Amino acid sequence: VSYLQMVEERSSNAPDYVNPASLTPVAGTNKYMELDGKRVVMYDYAKPSEGTEVFRNDKVLLSYVKSPDGTMALYEEWDGKSPREEIYRHSFTSDYYVACPDGSKIRIDDVRDIAFAPNSKYLAMSYQNDLFIYDLTTNEIYNITDDGKWNHIINGTTDWVYEEEYGFTRAYAFSPDGKEIAYLKFDESRVKEFEMMRYDTNLYNVAYRFKYPKAGEENSRVTMHVYNVASRQTRDIDLGENVDQYIPRIDYTPAGKLFFYRVNRLQNHFEVVMVEDDGTQRIIYDESDDRYVERPSDATVTFIDGERFIVREETTTGWYHLYLHSPEVIAPM
């Protein structure tokens, strides 16, 4: 039973309670935070104690995330019903609050995939298929894209295929210094629509149409772009000649280099591509098999620093092992 389900099963006068599943490790420490009804409590892994209250709200908390600099927090609250509107298996829109250092709070409604920039100056979020930035230093919100359209163009979040098959919905990433944001654009205009009946909790069904590519049919055309926050200019990233492929991860290394995964439609060839500062690209990892390669995820490649990364891979031996790689040396599998 999820934390959200546990909250919704209670009345609007729900008492505070402890949910062991709602733990968040505090990076760089031996501590963790836990949602406890209307408050957030910090505990030490090694020292049993009653914990230290770090945040209290007047309503039950559904989620709570500290900004990277620790001065702000992003949270959802429950007021008799959930603010979340589910889309597919993992995706949803919700209403969020930002707890500011001066004790005030900012409300942001009906957005999805919201997150702090690493420098804590910005929030990025998706609204009606467009990607937006909230400048927390000026209290200004503005859009990065303006061509988002239901069942046509999606910016910064994934289409149904990526969400269902790769299990993620946030299709953007900030650079470590927060000066850039890379994002994917899904053009699903060529994808055929599927219609089904939705009942939800209503007495009468409602017809629902969405883009649903069946096996062998056309998928979304995916492109990649990088937005410069200071200049507000966008540049395109070359993903190769093959448009019928998957880009299941985009991110930056700790040293600030942009990289992305590339998987062919047959899913038997997986590459990690590094984008240099001058726009040139290098394949820093290449894995292929006659049949298939294991579906890559965020856990497949982990950068230790700017010089080394670890790959979790089973193609070579048939068993999962951890391999240490260098971006300067390509070792095809």
Side-chain angles (χ1 to χ4, degrees):
V1 178
S2 69
Y3 181 77
L4 179 58
Q5 290 172 318
M6 294 172 69
V7 169
E8 290 182 329
E9 288 174 358
R10 290 164 166 77
S11 68
S12 58
N13 297 317
D16 290 353
Y17 63 93
V18 175
N19 173 28
S22 58
L23 308 181
T24 303
V26 180
T29 73
N30 61 349
K31 301 180 184 298
Y32 65 93
M33 293 187 298
E34 181 178 39
L35 290 182
D36 185 6
K38 298 179 181 180
R39 63 189 191 134
V40 179
V41 182
M42 183 175 292
Y43 296 92
D44 192 308
Y45 284 113
K47 300 176 182 178
S49 69
E50 295 182 357
T52 303
E53 182 177 287
V54 296
F55 184 77
R56 177 173 285 274
N57 193 44
D58 57 356
K59 296 174 184 175
V60 174
L61 295 164
L62 295 181
S63 65
Y64 178 88
V65 178
K66 274 281 191 183
S67 61
D69 66 1
T71 64
M72 295 172 288
L74 181 70
Y75 65 93
E76 299 168 273
E77 61 182 29
W78 179 78
D79 187 15
K81 66 176 183 178
S82 171
R84 296 182 179 183
E85 293 290 336
E86 294 183 357
I87 304 173
Y88 300 125
R89 185 191 297 262
H90 305 289
S91 55
F92 60 88
T93 62
S94 190
D95 302 333
Y96 293 87
Y97 294 90
V98 181
C100 301
D102 61 3
S104 63
K105 64 181 182 180
I106 301 168
R107 177 167 175 162
I108 304 173
D109 289 345
D110 197 30
V111 298
R112 58 178 292 193
D113 296 307
I114 187 170
F116 282 107
N119 60 11
S120 301
K121 293 181 179 180
Y122 312 106
L123 283 165
M125 70 206 75
S126 175
Y127 176 72
Q128 294 186 354
N129 285 16
D130 277 316
L131 193 59
F132 284 75
I133 280 185
Y134 194 116
D135 189 331
L136 293 164
T137 64
T138 63
N139 206 34
E140 177 190 10
I141 187 169
Y142 57 91
N143 56 306
I144 292 177
T145 65
D146 59 8
D147 58 348
K149 183 180 179 181
W150 173 250
N151 277 354
H152 190 77
I153 297 291
I154 309 171
N155 292 287
T157 58
T158 59
D159 66 356
W160 182 90
V161 171
Y162 276 57
E163 177 175 344
E164 183 67 21
E165 301 300 332
Y166 285 101
F168 75 101
T169 65
R170 185 187 302 167
Y172 68 83
F174 275 104
S175 61
D177 58 11
K179 295 181 179 180
E180 289 186 347
I181 180 170
Y183 66 93
L184 297 179
K185 182 190 296 287
F186 293 79
D187 181 349
E188 55 179 2
S189 58
R190 301 173 183 83
V191 180
K192 294 179 181 178
E193 289 188 355
F194 185 85
E195 184 175 74
M196 68 179 187
M197 294 297 156
R198 292 188 60 166
Y199 288 86
D200 298 325
T201 58
N202 301 316
L203 181 61
Y204 292 93
N205 59 290
V206 176
Y208 181 72
R209 296 178 66 89
F210 66 106
K211 294 303 180 91
Y212 179 83
K214 295 190 176 183
E217 296 290 329
E218 188 150 8
N219 277 337
S220 295
R221 300 283 181 94
V222 180
T223 56
M224 184 175 169
H225 313 271
V226 176
Y227 179 82
N228 185 290
V229 178
S231 67
R232 300 196 179 185
Q233 298 297 311
T234 301
R235 70 180 190 272
D236 301 333
I237 302 297
D238 183 12
L239 298 180
E241 297 179 356
N242 183 12
V243 296
D244 191 17
Q245 62 184 354
Y246 302 105
I247 309 296
R249 185 187 181 192
I250 58 173
D251 207 346
Y252 288 82
T253 71
K257 291 288 185 68
L258 177 64
F259 71 92
F260 61 91
Y261 291 177
R262 185 164 60 196
V263 181
N264 64 338
R265 182 76 181 262
L266 289 177
Q267 300 184 52
N268 63 357
H269 189 196
F270 164 48
E271 299 168 296
V272 180
V273 183
M274 180 82 77
V275 181
E276 302 292 355
D277 295 337
D278 61 2
T280 59
Q281 298 182 5
R282 292 187 298 113
I283 298 173
I284 62 172
Y285 179 73
D286 192 321
E287 179 182 342
S288 61
D289 187 84
D290 292 338
R291 294 168 295 176
Y292 72 97
V293 296
E294 183 66 23
R295 183 183 64 181
S297 69
D298 285 356
T300 304
V301 174
T302 302
F303 275 87
I304 303 173
D305 48 37
E307 303 299 326
R308 299 170 298 167
F309 61 96
I310 292 174
V311 177
R312 189 183 68 174
E313 177 259 304
E314 70 170 353
T315 299
T316 303
T317 65
W319 301 92
Y320 268 126
H321 291 290
L322 299 179
Y323 296 86
L324 183 63
H325 289 262
S326 165
E328 303 303 324
V329 180
I330 304 175
M333 298 294 105

